[in-house]
Amino acid sequence: MNLKLKIWRQKDADSAGKMVDYEISDVSPDMSFLEMLDVLNEDLIAKGDDPVEFDHDCREGICGACSLQINGEPHGPDRGVTTCQLHMRKFKDGDTIYIEPFRAKAFPVVKDLIVDRSSFDRIQQAGGYISVNTSGNTIDANAIPVNKHDADKAFDAATCIGCGACVAACKNASAMLFTSAKVSQFALLPQGQVEATDRVMNMVRQMDLEGFGNCTNTGACEIECPKGISLENIARMNREYLAASLKG
Amino acid sequence: MSGLLNTSIARKIAMALSGLFLIIFLTQHFVINFTSVVSPENFNEISHFMGTNALVQFLLQPVLIFGVVFHFVMGFALELKNRQARNAKYAMYKGSANASWVSRNMIISGMVVLAFLGLHFYDFWVPEMVYKYIEFNPEDPARYFPELVHKFESPVRTGIYVVSFALLALHLWHGFQSAFQTMGVNNKYTPAIKTLGKTFAVVIPFGFVFIALFHHFNQF
Ligand code: HEM
Ligand code: SF4
Ligand code: FES
């Protein structure tokens, strides 16, 4: 198939960017979206142009590196997939596809389609961990009983790959789904209780400092999340927050 | 109580609490208004009580005014912050693909309700205050019903009333269940809360509309 692409090009963080039109032909419906961009880049390089920069790593939906706002939705029109798992068969011959970086004040553009998502790392560093003695008398995690229901919910939360699609989709550029997943994966487990109060307070504070918006419960994040992280996590984080602030 | 209003979640919870408070107020207001359809005498009696009871006048009324002002000031503040959080716009943003119109436009439905509240204050509350506390008119326990009916004479007023309540319905369609989610309630009762919220969002605002139309058409 033949496609028209409108791609955000931006030289570096300090330059102004703009949408640039490209045409690409003979795209196989079996290609992934990133492979389609690879082909475009080979064309551009052959012509002596600058290739379009985009993030990717695993190309199998587990690392969260690939991003892209495709036709107004993070990771494109398909559900439950990342951009590397999106197939060109989701598009039709002659389509125009808008390809833009994830947009948020807390995700500044580095170049073209690459944004700096280290704000997520800083939220994680603010409290997304547990302190464990590793000096020889470490307790085997399996020795601590966890009920199946909580273990499953904690695991669900832990499947968040930190891709940032929730932020990109949200009209408020809120990072509540991500942060709540990272709070929940510990809040549900006995190992997470010791630091529970500080964890939620510090992670929420960092989330605000980074300049993410406020959740208004539109639910866009849950729909666009490639890992199906549930809004239940946001409710849990709010409960954790309430409990923590009442404790002082 | 370290984070009273200085974090996003604290502000959200305050927003939800004020919203829930307004929902309770709205229910109470509806029940009283509805008596005007059933029995003008009862309506007069209750209005007289509400208008002269010191607890209502000097405690509940100020609390209500604070609640309304707090809710919309906070609403505007959140909207502003949220706009700043996406400083560069998308060339193409498909909001409708993953979220309902009502959930994305609470500020619009809210602003229409606010404009209505302005008119409502001007229509009912300011004359009440002038009547009671400025002109010191003698209490007339039978004046409320005729005053109410009189307000719904004008088709324009009645029209504005209907449109405003339609937008309040949209506001609550999203807002009711949203407030519970914000308060951390998301469990096996959530489907029931959502149904209750949507029922409330239709029944109460359109109940107000019914009352308005009832008095409007009863005049002819
Ligand atoms: C009787 C009138 C009103 C009622 C019953 C009401 C109720 C609610 C409820 C229950 C919520 C959900 C809170 C949450 O999600 O946590 C809400 C949100 C909101 N309201 Fe109102 N509201 C009213 C009037 C207004 C007015 C006058 C404005 C003025 C602009 C307004 C603006 C907003 C905004 C912007 C939100 C979204 C904020 C958020 O979800 O975080 N509301 N309202
Ligand atoms: S919650 Fe979902 S959308 Fe958000 S960062 Fe995690 S995996 Fe990505
Ligand atoms: S490249 Fe790893 S998730 Fe897409």
Side-chain angles (χ1 to χ4, degrees):
Chain A
M1 40 186 189
N2 301 325
L3 300 166
K4 289 195 187 66
L5 306 176
K6 288 181 177 292
I7 303 180
W8 181 261
R9 300 304 309 262
Q10 181 172 338
K11 201 162 139 281
D12 53 43
D14 302 322
S15 312
K18 62 172 189 299
M19 298 298 286
V20 177
D21 292 351
Y22 296 93
E23 302 215 349
I24 183 166
S25 41
D26 299 326
V27 174
S28 155
D30 296 331
M31 281 179 179
S32 80
F33 200 85
L34 296 187
E35 283 164 345
M36 184 275 294
L37 288 178
D38 291 338
V39 172
L40 174 75
N41 276 344
E42 277 164 20
D43 287 355
L44 290 179
I45 292 166
K47 279 193 237 156
D49 285 345
D50 236 7
V52 179
E53 303 264 352
F54 59 89
D55 264 324
H56 63 102
D57 187 17
C58 71
R59 296 213 177 194
E60 55 178 349
I62 56 172
C63 73
C66 61
S67 51
L68 308 186
Q69 189 83 353
I70 301 166
N71 278 347
E73 288 183 75
H75 301 306
D78 210 357
R79 293 286 173 257
V81 296
T82 53
T83 299
C84 57
Q85 296 170 299
L86 176 69
H87 284 99
M88 294 314 294
R89 66 180 81 99
K90 294 286 163 188
F91 301 90
K92 293 191 308 290
D93 185 42
D95 275 0
T96 300
I97 307 178
Y98 282 74
I99 309 171
E100 298 174 74
F102 283 178
R103 296 270 186 214
K105 186 172 161 222
F107 286 171
V109 173
V110 177
K111 183 173 166 59
D112 294 338
L113 301 172
I114 297 183
V115 296
D116 178 355
R117 283 170 282 183
S118 56
S119 45
F120 269 15
D121 300 339
R122 289 186 292 273
I123 294 175
Q124 185 76 350
Q125 285 156 5
Y129 54 79
I130 55 165
S131 303
V132 174
N133 186 342
T134 53
S135 63
N137 36 14
T138 313
I139 302 169
D140 181 350
N142 291 317
I144 304 168
V146 181
N147 81 54
K148 171 89 166 87
H149 179 259
D150 289 346
D152 286 349
K153 293 261 176 204
F155 187 83
D156 285 348
T159 59
C160 162
I161 53 177
C163 62
C166 41
V167 174
C170 176
K171 86 183 224 314
N172 311 317
S174 163
M176 293 270 275
L177 194 65
F178 165 79
T179 310
S180 71
K182 298 302 173 197
V183 166
S184 286
Q185 67 189 26
F186 297 114
L188 286 155
L189 298 177
Q191 292 94 325
Q193 300 317 307
V194 185
E195 287 144 319
T197 304
D198 288 346
R199 173 178 308 111
V200 67
M201 286 306 207
N202 291 340
M203 290 178 80
V204 169
R205 187 172 309 120
Q206 190 63 36
M207 175 178 86
D208 291 346
L209 277 177
E210 298 292 347
F212 291 107
N214 291 274
C215 173
T216 55
N217 301 325
T218 70
C221 52
E222 181 183 50
I223 303 283
E224 297 290 354
C225 172
K227 298 296 152 187
I229 302 295
S230 157
L231 290 181
E232 272 177 43
N233 291 293
I234 298 185
R236 182 176 301 103
M237 173 166 73
N238 291 1
R239 290 198 297 278
E240 290 280 311
Y241 182 89
L242 264 173
S245 45
L246 292 177
K247 265 187 220 158
Chain B
M1 295 298 290
S2 49
L4 212 49
L5 279 182
N6 55 7
T7 72
S8 52
I9 298 185
R11 284 187 293 262
K12 269 200 61 68
I13 289 173
M15 192 74 196
L17 285 174
S18 60
L20 287 171
F21 170 72
L22 291 179
I23 284 175
I24 294 170
F25 158 71
L26 206 63
T27 313
Q28 168 273 127
H29 198 330
F30 172 73
V31 171
I32 294 178
N33 283 18
F34 195 73
T35 59
S36 73
V37 172
V38 190
S39 146
E41 293 73 40
N42 279 349
F43 178 74
N44 275 334
E45 219 172 288
I46 300 173
S47 302
H48 180 67
F49 170 79
M50 297 297 276
T52 49
N53 183 282
L55 185 72
V56 174
Q57 287 295 301
F58 302 111
L59 183 69
L60 296 188
Q61 187 162 281
V63 169
L64 172 67
I65 293 173
F66 175 79
V68 172
V69 172
F70 181 89
H71 185 78
F72 77 72
V73 168
M74 202 62 158
F76 283 122
L78 285 174
E79 177 70 16
L80 201 71
K81 270 190 166 298
N82 290 344
R83 280 171 188 261
Q84 287 163 353
R86 173 151 298 127
N87 49 354
K89 299 274 163 273
Y90 287 114
M92 162 101 126
Y93 177 69
K94 213 180 275 174
S96 60
N98 45 39
S100 64
W101 189 91
V102 278
S103 73
R104 287 179 287 123
N105 292 285
M106 290 296 277
I107 193 69
I108 293 180
S109 52
M111 271 159 48
V112 174
V113 175
L114 180 62
F116 171 78
L117 286 177
L119 179 69
H120 197 59
F121 258 53
Y122 173 77
D123 257 7
F124 285 90
W125 195 74
V126 174
E128 268 302 297
M129 293 299 114
V130 170
Y131 186 96
K132 282 191 297 211
Y133 303 121
I134 296 180
E135 293 176 355
F136 289 105
N137 286 313
E139 247 329 302
D140 170 11
R143 72 188 166 91
Y144 300 96
F145 185 76
E147 280 176 5
L148 174 83
V149 174
H150 176 68
K151 293 287 190 230
F152 292 119
E153 240 168 57
S154 145
V156 176
R157 270 244 155 60
T158 312
I160 294 176
Y161 203 89
V162 173
V163 171
S164 309
F165 275 96
L167 273 115
L168 179 63
L170 295 181
H171 199 73
L172 292 172
W173 187 264
H174 174 71
F176 192 104
Q177 55 82 33
S178 174
F180 283 86
Q181 161 77 9
T182 300
M183 295 307 295
V185 182
N186 187 331
N187 52 32
K188 62 177 191 253
Y189 300 113
T190 298
I193 291 172
K194 286 189 174 171
T195 308
L196 177 70
K198 288 179 175 176
T199 311
F200 184 92
V202 172
V203 170
I204 300 292
F206 288 101
F208 276 104
V209 166
F210 168 77
I211 297 167
L213 295 178
F214 179 87
H215 292 306
H216 179 68
F217 288 110
N218 251 3
Q219 326 225 349
F220 308 108

PDB file of all heavy atoms in Angstrom, chain B residues 27-38:
ATOM      1  N   THR B  27     -29.988  17.482  45.892  1.00  0.00           N
ATOM      2  CA  THR B  27     -31.077  16.553  46.207  1.00  0.00           C
ATOM      3  C   THR B  27     -32.087  17.226  47.130  1.00  0.00           C
ATOM      4  O   THR B  27     -33.300  17.174  46.908  1.00  0.00           O
ATOM      5  CB  THR B  27     -30.498  15.305  46.905  1.00  0.00           C
ATOM      6  OG1 THR B  27     -29.369  14.870  46.161  1.00  0.00           O
ATOM      7  CG2 THR B  27     -31.521  14.197  46.982  1.00  0.00           C
ATOM      8  N   GLN B  28     -31.569  17.867  48.141  1.00  0.00           N
ATOM      9  CA  GLN B  28     -32.403  18.553  49.125  1.00  0.00           C
ATOM     10  C   GLN B  28     -33.223  19.652  48.445  1.00  0.00           C
ATOM     11  O   GLN B  28     -34.437  19.772  48.644  1.00  0.00           O
ATOM     12  CB  GLN B  28     -31.447  19.065  50.213  1.00  0.00           C
ATOM     13  CG  GLN B  28     -31.970  20.038  51.216  1.00  0.00           C
ATOM     14  CD  GLN B  28     -31.852  21.476  50.742  1.00  0.00           C
ATOM     15  OE1 GLN B  28     -32.833  22.194  50.753  1.00  0.00           O
ATOM     16  NE2 GLN B  28     -30.673  21.905  50.298  1.00  0.00           N
ATOM     17  N   HIS B  29     -32.553  20.412  47.578  1.00  0.00           N
ATOM     18  CA  HIS B  29     -33.195  21.511  46.870  1.00  0.00           C
ATOM     19  C   HIS B  29     -34.309  20.962  45.967  1.00  0.00           C
ATOM     20  O   HIS B  29     -35.403  21.544  45.874  1.00  0.00           O
ATOM     21  CB  HIS B  29     -32.138  22.244  46.037  1.00  0.00           C
ATOM     22  CG  HIS B  29     -32.546  23.611  45.591  1.00  0.00           C
ATOM     23  ND1 HIS B  29     -33.853  23.973  45.347  1.00  0.00           N
ATOM     24  CD2 HIS B  29     -31.803  24.724  45.344  1.00  0.00           C
ATOM     25  CE1 HIS B  29     -33.887  25.239  44.960  1.00  0.00           C
ATOM     26  NE2 HIS B  29     -32.658  25.721  44.954  1.00  0.00           N
ATOM     27  N   PHE B  30     -34.034  19.843  45.343  1.00  0.00           N
ATOM     28  CA  PHE B  30     -35.020  19.255  44.444  1.00  0.00           C
ATOM     29  C   PHE B  30     -36.270  18.829  45.207  1.00  0.00           C
ATOM     30  O   PHE B  30     -37.400  19.105  44.782  1.00  0.00           O
ATOM     31  CB  PHE B  30     -34.422  18.048  43.703  1.00  0.00           C
ATOM     32  CG  PHE B  30     -35.451  17.299  42.905  1.00  0.00           C
ATOM     33  CD1 PHE B  30     -35.957  17.831  41.730  1.00  0.00           C
ATOM     34  CD2 PHE B  30     -35.946  16.084  43.344  1.00  0.00           C
ATOM     35  CE1 PHE B  30     -36.929  17.164  41.002  1.00  0.00           C
ATOM     36  CE2 PHE B  30     -36.909  15.406  42.631  1.00  0.00           C
ATOM     37  CZ  PHE B  30     -37.403  15.952  41.448  1.00  0.00           C
ATOM     38  N   VAL B  31     -36.045  18.170  46.329  1.00  0.00           N
ATOM     39  CA  VAL B  31     -37.194  17.677  47.110  1.00  0.00           C
ATOM     40  C   VAL B  31     -38.094  18.853  47.509  1.00  0.00           C
ATOM     41  O   VAL B  31     -39.317  18.801  47.372  1.00  0.00           O
ATOM     42  CB  VAL B  31     -36.703  16.893  48.352  1.00  0.00           C
ATOM     43  CG1 VAL B  31     -37.867  16.571  49.276  1.00  0.00           C
ATOM     44  CG2 VAL B  31     -35.991  15.623  47.911  1.00  0.00           C
ATOM     45  N   ILE B  32     -37.465  19.942  47.958  1.00  0.00           N
ATOM     46  CA  ILE B  32     -38.262  21.112  48.370  1.00  0.00           C
ATOM     47  C   ILE B  32     -39.013  21.698  47.164  1.00  0.00           C
ATOM     48  O   ILE B  32     -40.210  21.967  47.237  1.00  0.00           O
ATOM     49  CB  ILE B  32     -37.356  22.172  49.028  1.00  0.00           C
ATOM     50  CG1 ILE B  32     -36.804  21.609  50.335  1.00  0.00           C
ATOM     51  CG2 ILE B  32     -38.138  23.459  49.267  1.00  0.00           C
ATOM     52  CD1 ILE B  32     -35.864  22.546  51.050  1.00  0.00           C
ATOM     53  N   ASN B  33     -38.294  21.859  46.050  1.00  0.00           N
ATOM     54  CA  ASN B  33     -38.963  22.420  44.865  1.00  0.00           C
ATOM     55  C   ASN B  33     -40.123  21.547  44.418  1.00  0.00           C
ATOM     56  O   ASN B  33     -41.131  22.045  43.937  1.00  0.00           O
ATOM     57  CB  ASN B  33     -37.972  22.557  43.708  1.00  0.00           C
ATOM     58  CG  ASN B  33     -37.062  23.750  43.875  1.00  0.00           C
ATOM     59  OD1 ASN B  33     -36.925  24.276  44.981  1.00  0.00           O
ATOM     60  ND2 ASN B  33     -36.448  24.180  42.794  1.00  0.00           N
ATOM     61  N   PHE B  34     -39.934  20.255  44.551  1.00  0.00           N
ATOM     62  CA  PHE B  34     -40.950  19.345  44.041  1.00  0.00           C
ATOM     63  C   PHE B  34     -42.260  19.501  44.809  1.00  0.00           C
ATOM     64  O   PHE B  34     -43.340  19.319  44.233  1.00  0.00           O
ATOM     65  CB  PHE B  34     -40.462  17.895  44.091  1.00  0.00           C
ATOM     66  CG  PHE B  34     -41.303  16.973  43.260  1.00  0.00           C
ATOM     67  CD1 PHE B  34     -41.218  17.011  41.872  1.00  0.00           C
ATOM     68  CD2 PHE B  34     -42.201  16.097  43.849  1.00  0.00           C
ATOM     69  CE1 PHE B  34     -42.012  16.188  41.091  1.00  0.00           C
ATOM     70  CE2 PHE B  34     -43.000  15.273  43.074  1.00  0.00           C
ATOM     71  CZ  PHE B  34     -42.901  15.316  41.687  1.00  0.00           C
ATOM     72  N   THR B  35     -42.172  19.879  46.076  1.00  0.00           N
ATOM     73  CA  THR B  35     -43.413  20.066  46.835  1.00  0.00           C
ATOM     74  C   THR B  35     -44.274  21.155  46.193  1.00  0.00           C
ATOM     75  O   THR B  35     -45.496  21.144  46.332  1.00  0.00           O
ATOM     76  CB  THR B  35     -43.132  20.463  48.303  1.00  0.00           C
ATOM     77  OG1 THR B  35     -42.378  21.673  48.298  1.00  0.00           O
ATOM     78  CG2 THR B  35     -42.386  19.384  49.045  1.00  0.00           C
ATOM     79  N   SER B  36     -43.657  22.060  45.447  1.00  0.00           N
ATOM     80  CA  SER B  36     -44.430  23.142  44.821  1.00  0.00           C
ATOM     81  C   SER B  36     -45.383  22.610  43.758  1.00  0.00           C
ATOM     82  O   SER B  36     -46.374  23.247  43.422  1.00  0.00           O
ATOM     83  CB  SER B  36     -43.499  24.187  44.209  1.00  0.00           C
ATOM     84  OG  SER B  36     -42.892  23.675  43.041  1.00  0.00           O
ATOM     85  N   VAL B  37     -45.056  21.427  43.225  1.00  0.00           N
ATOM     86  CA  VAL B  37     -45.926  20.810  42.234  1.00  0.00           C
ATOM     87  C   VAL B  37     -47.096  20.127  42.928  1.00  0.00           C
ATOM     88  O   VAL B  37     -48.232  20.145  42.461  1.00  0.00           O
ATOM     89  CB  VAL B  37     -45.127  19.787  41.387  1.00  0.00           C
ATOM     90  CG1 VAL B  37     -46.046  18.976  40.485  1.00  0.00           C
ATOM     91  CG2 VAL B  37     -44.064  20.498  40.577  1.00  0.00           C
ATOM     92  N   VAL B  38     -46.778  19.540  44.083  1.00  0.00           N
ATOM     93  CA  VAL B  38     -47.782  18.738  44.787  1.00  0.00           C
ATOM     94  C   VAL B  38     -48.695  19.622  45.628  1.00  0.00           C
ATOM     95  O   VAL B  38     -49.923  19.527  45.547  1.00  0.00           O
ATOM     96  CB  VAL B  38     -47.090  17.683  45.694  1.00  0.00           C
ATOM     97  CG1 VAL B  38     -48.114  16.701  46.235  1.00  0.00           C
ATOM     98  CG2 VAL B  38     -46.001  16.962  44.917  1.00  0.00           C
TER      99      VAL B  38
END
